[in-house]
Amino acid sequence: QVQLVESGGGLVQAGGSLRLSCAAPGSIFSISAMGWYRQAPGNRRELVATITTGGQTNYADSVKGRFTISRDNAKNTVYLQMNSLKADDTAVYYCYARRVEPVDLSRTNYWGQGTQVTVSS
């Protein structure tokens, strides 16, 4: 099963930083957008940040000013630089990518396996 490959999660102290990476395999192409969701224990999955191939970004209010999403379109890779981490940033972070088929513009979503980010207070 094709999935996105995530890395960069771990355990950090409050105020620290982590950089998440997510790469789509070469078999996935024509990606229109990539981004990150997260899910904390007992909570629903929430959107953290998205970025289009054109560089348009969107952030959850809770991470604005602290997180930065970027991408390398040639590598189908998205990054999430997380600074000034807080305890409530603790969650499993899931990468996603949306492929748009050039022929008929049909859409397919792909997901990473999730990477744990734990911020100690």
Side-chain angles (χ1 to χ4, degrees):
Q1 181 72 17
V2 175
Q3 68 175 17
L4 311 180
V5 180
E6 301 183 33
S7 63
L11 173 64
V12 298
Q13 296 182 358
S17 298
L18 284 173
R19 181 174 179 263
L20 306 183
S21 299
C22 175
S27 59
I28 304 176
F29 56 93
S30 299
I31 292 175
S32 63
M34 301 184 76
W36 300 88
Y37 281 76
R38 69 185 182 186
Q39 186 168 22
N43 296 332
R44 68 174 183 84
R45 189 171 298 186
E46 64 177 350
L47 182 66
V48 177
T50 61
I51 186 167
T52 69
T53 54
Q56 298 173 329
T57 60
N58 185 53
Y59 297 93
D61 289 340
S62 59
V63 307
K64 287 180 179 177
R66 299 187 298 118
F67 291 10
T68 302
I69 188 170
S70 60
R71 86 293 181 199
D72 184 334
N73 290 332
K75 298 180 179 179
N76 283 342
T77 300
V78 65
Y79 308 92
L80 186 67
Q81 179 66 46
M82 305 185 293
N83 299 325
S84 302
L85 283 163
K86 305 174 181 179
D88 56 6
D89 293 318
T90 296
V92 178
Y93 285 70
Y94 297 91
C95 176
Y96 79 91
R98 173 170 288 182
R99 178 195 175 194
V100 178
E101 168 59 48
V103 176
D104 60 4
L105 302 184
S106 61
R107 295 173 291 179
T108 304
N109 293 325
Y110 299 88
W111 292 90
Q113 80 285 356
T115 184
Q116 177 71 47
V117 172
T118 302
V119 184
S120 61
S121 59

